[in-house]
C-alpha cells in the first residue's frame, strides 16, 4: 500500500513517523475488486466445510513468505492454518461472515 499523508511532504517528516501506527477511517479506504478482501473483513468469519461442519473462526490472515494462510481458532481454543488458495477456498461471503472451505485431504486430521 502506498499512501500520502496531508502535511507530510518530506522524507524528514516521514522519518518522524517511523515505527508509529497510522490509522484511517474505514469509510476512506478504496473498494476492493471481486474476490479480494481486506483482512479486517475476514477476521471473525466462521469457517465451515462444504458439508456445513463448523471448523472455527478466523483469527488472522498470516503470510510467512509462501502465500496467505487463514489462521482458524477451533472451539477448543486450538488454532490451525489453511492455505488461502483456490484449492482450499470454495466461497467467501463477507455479508454473512462465512468462509466455505474444502481443505486438502489430511489437513484436518
Amino acid at each position: 500500500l502506498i499512501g500520502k499523508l496531508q502535511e507530510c511532504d518530506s522524507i524528514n517528516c516521514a522519518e518522524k513517523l517511523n515505527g508509529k501506527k497510522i490509522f484511517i477511517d474505514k469509510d476512506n479506504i478504496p473498494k476492493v475488486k471481486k474476490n479480494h478482501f481486506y483482512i479486517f473483513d475476514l477476521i471473525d468469519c466462521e469457517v465451515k466445510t462444504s458439508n456445513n461442519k463448523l471448523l472455527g473462526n478466523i483469527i488472522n490472515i498470516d503470510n510467512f513468505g509462501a502465500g496467505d494462510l487463514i489462521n482458524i481458532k477451533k472451539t477448543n481454543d486450538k488454532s490451525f492454518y489453511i492455505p488461502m488458495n483456490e484449492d482450499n477456498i470454495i466461497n467467501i461471503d463477507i455479508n454473512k461472515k462465512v468462509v466455505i472451505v474444502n481443505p486438502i485431504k489430511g489437513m484436518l486430521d
Side-chain angles (χ1 to χ4, degrees):
L1 178 66
I2 297 175
K4 182 177 184 293
L5 301 175
Q6 291 178 347
E7 301 177 21
C8 188
D9 292 328
S10 70
I11 188 74
N12 292 332
C13 177
E15 285 176 344
K16 290 178 185 174
L17 298 172
N18 193 18
K20 304 283 185 197
K21 291 184 178 184
I22 300 171
F23 297 91
I24 186 170
D25 191 289
K26 254 176 134 174
D27 295 335
N28 294 326
I29 60 174
K31 300 282 186 210
V32 291
K33 297 176 186 174
K34 185 178 179 181
N35 294 325
H36 288 81
F37 307 94
Y38 286 111
I39 291 173
F40 64 79
D41 284 330
L42 295 170
I43 302 293
D44 292 328
C45 283
E46 287 186 334
V47 179
K48 297 181 176 182
T49 63
S50 55
N51 60 1
N52 210 31
K53 177 184 176 191
L54 178 64
L55 298 178
N57 289 69
I58 296 176
I59 56 175
N60 204 9
I61 306 297
D62 294 312
N63 188 316
F64 303 106
D68 291 332
L69 300 168
I70 301 174
N71 191 346
I72 302 166
K73 183 176 181 181
K74 299 193 298 187
T75 54
N76 65 4
D77 283 340
K78 292 186 179 183
S79 65
F80 66 100
Y81 288 103
I82 291 181
M84 191 169 190
N85 57 37
E86 292 178 1
D87 294 330
N88 294 298
I89 308 300
I90 295 174
N91 185 48
I92 297 175
D93 188 332
I94 290 297
N95 294 324
K96 292 182 180 177
K97 300 283 286 176
V98 175
V99 176
I100 306 298
V101 298
N102 185 26
I104 298 168
K105 184 176 169 122
M107 188 170 290
L108 299 178
D109 297 337

